[in-house]
Amino acid sequence: MASEPNVTIPVVDLSPFLQGDGDGDGDGDRDGINLAKETIGQACKTHGFFRIVNHGVPTELMVRALNLSKAFFSLPDEEKLKSKPIPGSKAPLPAGYCKQPENSADKNEYLMVFSPELGFNLYPNDPAEFRATLEECYHALSKTAILVQDILNECMALPPNFFREYNANRSFDMMMALRYYPETEAENNGLSEHQDGNCLTFVFQDEVGGLEVLKDGKWVSADPSEGSIIVNLGDIIQVLSNNKFQSAMHRVTRKKAYRHSFAFFFNIDGEKWIEPLPQFTSEIGEAPCYRGFMYNEYMQLRMRNKTHPPSRPEDVVHISYYAI
């Protein structure tokens, strides 16, 4: 299925939320705030993707992170493997440097980090500035993620601070620096079409491009734009909203050059029981579309998709596994 180059995804200016004392509590320009909420709410109902600008993460920081990431991934494998995951780590997923398995359809390598305060991370020694930049980037994206979650809380008409209380544990959030290999004559798949299994994902990327989102049966290019961040909803929001808000189907196609990007995954407590909220079921007289499940259970099923890819695409586990 070809992509649609002339179709764009919604753009949301978050600067009104960062005016005043800059704490994101909505004391800025009211018209700008209302427009942002309206745009996000509509985007989440239709295809689960939007682009944010003036979001509080410095452009200089994103550029620096991408440049240092390029320097790291260009190192020989033996150097990168010095940061490979340690067996027995208590991290929710393997922290450190990894390559996709040879039998995986996805062709990329990545460095995964969690909150620096947790002590799970394995940082490369080279480039020397990489660790400090990764930590700075992590904290900046985490702050932006909480702001977007607060906006989503209002878009979903949930009680004030519902998500802040429901999703208070930040120890399962993670960030990945990724490098996608150049396309070959045989194929160009970088990341197979999928929906994310978390709450919200934030992506910034270099000039190469390749990220695409499925909308109305057509692939829409999420073109690179310096300083902007692509946001997509994950499966947890789709389940909690009982399909009122959509987990975005997306993919990465490889180009002629290496592609570098950062993805911040705003997650949820692994011990959290997930099921459609009453605001979207019993309170409005609708039956739940999903049976409840423990988030850790779903996360492990999705990880197995990566480590032991099924031979048949239809055997890949996704959120429909819990559909009623």
Side-chain angles (χ1 to χ4, degrees):
M1 187 188 306
S3 61
E4 291 286 314
N6 296 323
V7 180
T8 60
I9 61 176
V11 178
V12 182
D13 183 353
L14 295 187
S15 60
F17 297 91
L18 301 176
Q19 296 172 6
D21 57 16
D23 63 0
D25 65 0
D27 57 354
D29 172 55
R30 181 53 54 185
D31 289 339
I33 287 173
N34 290 337
L35 176 60
K37 291 177 181 177
E38 180 181 348
T39 305
I40 290 176
Q42 186 59 34
C44 292
K45 291 175 183 177
T46 55
H47 51 296
F49 245 83
F50 52 95
R51 185 193 304 271
I52 55 175
V53 296
N54 301 318
H55 39 63
V57 182
T59 298
E60 177 277 330
L61 173 60
M62 294 190 284
V63 171
R64 174 164 31 106
L66 286 168
N67 287 337
L68 290 169
S69 177
K70 291 176 184 178
F72 168 71
F73 285 116
S74 67
L75 294 172
D77 283 353
E78 56 266 28
E79 287 299 316
K80 291 182 285 190
L81 286 170
K82 291 178 180 178
S83 303
K84 68 180 181 180
I86 297 175
S89 169
K90 295 183 180 180
L93 293 172
Y97 168 77
C98 293
K99 274 187 176 181
Q100 296 290 357
E102 287 295 326
N103 60 339
S104 173
D106 300 336
K107 304 300 179 186
N108 61 66
E109 55 186 332
Y110 57 90
L111 180 70
M112 181 185 295
V113 298
F114 291 84
S115 172
E117 287 74 21
L118 298 176
F120 295 144
N121 296 332
L122 297 168
Y123 297 103
N125 292 322
D126 188 13
E129 310 95 325
F130 202 17
R131 174 174 181 166
T133 298
L134 285 169
E135 293 185 350
E136 185 179 354
C137 208
Y138 189 99
H139 288 305
L141 286 167
S142 181
K143 186 175 180 179
T144 296
I146 291 172
L147 169 58
V148 174
Q149 179 184 242
D150 287 346
I151 298 171
L152 188 62
N153 193 104
E154 293 197 42
C155 292
M156 295 174 70
L158 294 171
N161 295 319
F162 173 85
F163 270 134
R164 287 232 181 184
E165 298 170 7
Y166 179 87
N167 189 23
N169 186 349
R170 302 270 53 84
S171 61
F172 288 82
D173 297 345
M174 59 187 178
M175 184 179 75
M176 296 171 69
L178 298 110
R179 180 170 83 158
Y180 293 86
Y181 304 118
E183 65 181 340
T184 67
E185 291 184 1
E187 53 88 27
N188 70 344
N189 182 64
L191 189 61
S192 303
E193 60 181 76
H194 67 288
Q195 296 163 281
D196 288 346
N198 59 335
C199 296
L200 294 163
T201 302
F202 299 78
V203 174
F204 64 88
Q205 55 189 319
D206 64 12
E207 69 284 354
V208 174
L211 178 61
E212 298 177 343
V213 57
L214 189 64
K215 184 181 186 298
D216 301 328
K218 298 179 181 178
W219 288 105
V220 176
S221 176
D223 293 329
S225 177
E226 186 174 85
S228 73
I229 296 176
I230 302 294
V231 184
N232 70 268
L233 266 62
D235 291 343
I236 300 306
I237 300 299
Q238 180 167 314
V239 172
L240 294 177
S241 71
N242 206 38
N243 288 341
K244 300 297 188 300
F245 287 65
Q246 299 301 308
S247 178
M249 182 68 72
H250 55 290
R251 69 183 183 185
V252 175
T253 58
R254 286 147 63 199
K255 305 298 182 181
K256 296 185 183 301
Y258 284 105
R259 172 184 183 264
H260 298 81
S261 65
F262 275 74
F264 182 85
F265 299 93
F266 194 68
N267 228 318
I268 200 160
D269 189 338
E271 299 301 318
K272 197 78 175 180
W273 181 256
I274 308 297
E275 62 184 355
L277 296 172
Q279 289 90 342
F280 298 98
T281 53
S282 59
E283 293 183 9
I284 59 173
E286 292 190 11
C289 298
Y290 301 92
R291 58 186 172 89
F293 57 92
M294 193 74 73
Y295 182 64
N296 259 340
E297 171 190 317
Y298 184 44
M299 188 162 58
Q300 292 304 319
L301 289 172
R302 288 180 61 97
M303 178 53 65
R304 187 166 179 81
N305 287 345
K306 295 289 187 182
T307 58
H308 299 79
S311 57
R312 302 187 309 163
E314 58 267 30
D315 292 333
V316 174
V317 174
H318 39 72
I319 201 59
S320 63
Y321 179 80
Y322 298 101
I324 296 175

